[in-house]
Amino acid sequence: MSQRSDLRQRRATLEGEWSRWIPQLRTARRSPAGGGVALRPEVAESWLRSLSSVDPHRDSAPAAEDGSVARRWAASPLRRPVDDLAGELHSIADDAGFVTAVTDESGTILWTCGGRTMRSRAERVNFAPGGRWDEPDMGTNALSLALRTGRPSTVFSAEHLVSALHGWVCYCAPVHAPDGRILGVLDLSTTWDRSHPLAMSTVRSLVTAIESRLAAELPAPRPPAPGTPVRLACLGVERAERGGVPLPLRPRQLEILTLLALEPDGFTAERLREAVYGDRPVTASTFKAEISHLRRALGGGVTPRRYALTTPVTCDAVEVLDALRRGDTSTALRHYRGPLLPRSEAPGIVEWRAQLEVAVREAVLASTGPEDALRYGERAPYDAQVHEHALRLLAPDDPRRPIALGRLSTALRD
């Protein structure tokens, strides 16, 4: 059988099974615009999670248990920056026909603004202070997706699980504290016929302004105590801190710190220079200057001549490797949030990046539990082999099969 024929057969088999699962996700309906329902994978997965706790025919969001959110809003770290931007938020909502909402980290709406007509419509579904819009309470919506993923989200019309929301489109982005915690979300919502291509960029700009004000309000950080370990996060991100205080490291110094953390026995000067610069013509003084800056940032912590760390450093990449050595794939996946220093082109980092990616993927394919393949599949949407492995491990009646089916369909289509 040719590769193309094999691909067609796999797609046909996949589409047959997917068609059996779709009715269990939701009875097919038409959107207000007249189009059919076409679920994005993240939306389909949210539906599947939501259906265990949310009735698609409910008419509004449940209310917060205490019945009042005034005290919570008064104590919220978001209140002051939102108050500073209130004039702009009111203007955007009034001019464009939106309702603007701010939630806390639980998805409970704490504050809204907008024109009288639009706010009245929103209040019918309890899109108002006190309404609970997290996924377990209100199913698939932009607020719940942004809280779950930590990323901006748009949900349009019939993508909402709850029928009462099919007339709406929501644009939403999470608001992060300076330490990375999600404090809540900012949402712009309107009726589907008023959707606008610039709405999401507007939300992003407003969130950036709020986060800038949050950072400006922070007190000066206290110096960490001597001996406090350095925390190095280099999988999918590029960050080093000590005692919650970011270390002032440039990208090249982060590369060196990462290499030293991954190889605790250390490097000769020649080998470290090659791992960082490859065959690029870099002077010895430039290389030594990077080491000196790193040493100062660590308060010492790097031995001379043969370079190795003497200060305690915890590193997510090292934690992944330790978990894999123990055969603990689940723990490795919990720490593996993405490729090693994704923007780095240093030869040593590129080599370690490939080693980690291969090691994690092979551990997933060797795992006998579907949870590992499903979790890894979130970060590998085009890895058909991983999705097929998940399907082989999932029982025919396992409610998670549509997740793997949707991902495999995307992978085969591309």
Side-chain angles (χ1 to χ4, degrees), residues 50-59 136-138 161-163:
S50 304
L51 282 170
S52 63
S53 62
V54 179
D55 179 1
H57 300 291
R58 71 172 311 148
D59 57 6
D137 283 313
M138 202 54 182
L161 177 75
V162 174
S163 313

Side-chain angles (χ1 to χ4, degrees), residues 341-361:
L341 296 184
R343 296 183 296 176
S344 173
E345 297 179 359
I349 296 296
V350 171
E351 182 178 335
W352 270 107
R353 183 188 299 150
Q355 289 186 38
L356 283 161
E357 289 176 348
V358 170
V360 171
R361 184 176 183 273

Side-chain angles (χ1 to χ4, degrees), residues 234-235 252 255-256 258-259 262-263 267 274-278 336 339-358:
C234 51
L235 294 176
R252 189 67 71 196
E255 291 170 346
I256 295 171
T258 300
L259 289 167
L262 285 165
E263 301 194 36
F267 290 76
E274 182 179 347
V276 174
Y277 298 104
Y336 188 74
L340 184 73
L341 296 184
R343 296 183 296 176
S344 173
E345 297 179 359
I349 296 296
V350 171
E351 182 178 335
W352 270 107
R353 183 188 299 150
Q355 289 186 38
L356 283 161
E357 289 176 348
V358 170

Side-chain angles (χ1 to χ4, degrees), residues 37 66 98 120 201 237 242 248 258 261 268 286 288 313 334 340 348 359 362 373 377 393 412 414:
V37 176
D66 59 10
F98 281 86
S120 176
S201 62
V237 294
R242 171 178 267 160
T258 300
T268 64
T286 297
K288 290 180 179 178
V313 175
R334 189 168 67 249
L340 184 73
E362 290 302 311
L393 296 174
L412 292 178
D414 295 331

Side-chain angles (χ1 to χ4, degrees), residues 320 326 328-337 375 379:
V320 168
R326 298 193 306 268
D328 187 351
T329 304
S330 296
T331 297
L333 287 173
R334 189 168 67 249
H335 293 298
Y336 188 74
R337 295 183 300 274
R375 185 164 189 167
R379 291 185 292 270

